[in-house]
Amino acid sequence: MSTPAPNPAQASRAAARRRGRYGAPALLLAPFMVLFTACTLVPIGYAVHLSLYTEHRSGLGFGGSETVFTGLGNYTRALGDAAFRAGFWNTAQYCLLYIPLMIGLSLLTALLLDSALARAKRFFQLALFLPHAVPGIIAALVWVYLYTPGISPVIDALGGAGAQVDVLGHPLSAVVNIAVWEWTGYNMVIFYAALQAIPREVLEAAVVDGAGPLRTALSVKIPLIRASITMVGLFTVIGSLQLFTEPMILHDVAPGVVSTWTPNMYAYSAAFERNDYGLAAASSVLLALAAAVLSFAVTRASRGRSRKEDAA
């Protein structure tokens, strides 16, 4: 039995529907893809290209420079530099201290604002979010003023009370304090919005079953907003690896913050203080790879935990 040939008019309409089905998404995604290519893919490609070359100078620096292909030489130099490795160690300590503290405070304040006992919620939301509205450089300068002995009213007041506080002598805690102050309110808003999306009947059922406020928060609210917590954790890990502004401002006043205190500062120092663009590009590519690996690990860990809970 032979299959009847399709009507040409029907075939034309089917082809038009297929073009419309794929054409509209492509048209809407086109501006994003153009910007993504111009602002992300092209710079990454150029950085990889730069990382494969180095500048050789002759005649004690007076004979001009020559660009020479060096392969993975810049990567070997970066990984072999103790200052570059120390930057990753400082960033790891920063992540271990900053991420749990900031996410814990953000989650706690969101749960407190979401509780039935909270009053003046709008005021506290605005008050907690305001520090994030302050640009990072301005915030760092304000904290440098508050950290510096002799000009800080807080340090002077503590000194008058007999407590000698040397904040600038502990750069890790000083940087973590600035970051927590700046980002806690921002992530609190994300958690609070997720809490508001929980169906009220679910919370009422928990109360009817005898769950108190603490049990409801730990066993109902937090599991239901785990996707938001994972998203905040992922973005925080990526942002922590790009740490630059706060330690760069503290570099002028805190003796413990050297010019290569983080991998980002190492790349900046290589590019703009030593004019070694190949080394700066190689260290930037290595930092991007570390961010990609950590992002993948966080995503996989959260997905694995969700699957275990779904199976249970």
Side-chain angles (χ1 to χ4, degrees):
M1 182 175 168
S2 61
T3 303
N7 187 312
Q10 292 178 344
S12 176
R13 285 195 293 271
R17 282 197 296 271
R18 283 196 297 273
R19 285 196 298 270
R21 184 184 303 167
Y22 298 110
L27 182 63
L28 293 173
L29 288 174
F32 165 77
M33 293 307 300
V34 170
L35 289 175
F36 180 72
T37 302
C39 301
T40 302
L41 297 183
V42 172
I44 290 177
Y46 185 59
V48 172
H49 171 76
L50 275 182
S51 68
L52 302 178
Y53 293 86
T54 188
E55 296 283 337
H56 277 185
R57 300 181 184 279
S58 59
L60 298 177
F62 297 102
S65 61
E66 180 185 6
T67 303
V68 178
F69 180 77
T70 185
L72 299 179
N74 287 320
Y75 293 94
T76 304
R77 288 170 57 204
L79 292 173
D81 194 338
F84 186 63
R85 297 196 301 271
F88 274 101
W89 173 240
N90 290 330
T91 304
Q93 295 179 82
Y94 170 82
C95 290
L96 291 175
L97 185 60
Y98 165 64
I99 294 177
L101 181 61
M102 187 277 295
I103 292 182
L105 284 175
S106 301
L107 191 56
L108 178 62
T109 51
L111 289 170
L112 289 174
L113 287 176
D114 186 62
S115 68
L117 299 177
R119 297 289 182 271
K121 294 182 180 180
R122 297 290 183 189
F123 169 77
F124 285 110
Q125 287 178 41
L126 179 62
L128 290 169
F129 185 77
L130 272 181
H132 182 70
V134 179
I137 292 179
I138 303 300
L141 290 174
V142 170
W143 280 104
V144 165
Y145 165 72
L146 294 175
Y147 287 161
T148 305
I151 61 174
S152 168
V154 178
I155 299 296
D156 290 346
L158 291 174
Q164 300 299 325
V165 179
D166 182 16
V167 182
L168 295 177
H170 304 82
L172 180 62
S173 58
V175 174
V176 169
N177 179 57
I178 298 173
V180 168
W181 179 80
E182 187 176 0
W183 287 99
T184 296
Y186 175 83
N187 292 308
M188 179 273 298
V189 171
I190 296 176
F191 291 149
Y192 182 73
L195 289 171
Q196 292 296 297
I198 297 176
R200 293 297 104 177
E201 53 267 25
V202 174
L203 302 179
E204 292 170 0
V207 174
V208 170
D209 289 342
L214 180 60
R215 181 64 182 273
T216 302
L218 296 178
S219 302
V220 179
K221 292 183 178 181
I222 292 179
L224 288 177
I225 65 168
R226 178 165 293 118
S228 298
I229 298 174
T230 301
M231 182 193 69
V232 168
L234 179 62
F235 289 166
T236 305
V237 166
I238 296 173
S240 298
L241 286 176
Q242 299 172 358
L243 182 65
F244 179 79
T245 303
E246 292 84 357
M248 198 66 186
I249 296 296
L250 289 176
H251 169 56
D252 293 331
V253 294
V257 182
V258 296
S259 61
T260 57
W261 200 72
T262 67
N264 251 346
M265 293 175 66
Y266 180 90
Y268 178 87
S269 173
F272 300 108
E273 295 178 3
R274 290 176 277 167
N275 295 325
D276 194 341
Y277 298 110
L279 180 62
S283 56
S284 300
V285 172
L286 290 172
L287 179 59
L289 290 176
V293 170
L294 279 178
S295 302
F296 178 75
V298 171
T299 305
R300 292 284 297 181
S302 61
R303 188 178 300 174
R305 185 167 182 173
S306 300
R307 286 178 178 173
K308 287 181 180 178
E309 291 181 355
D310 293 341

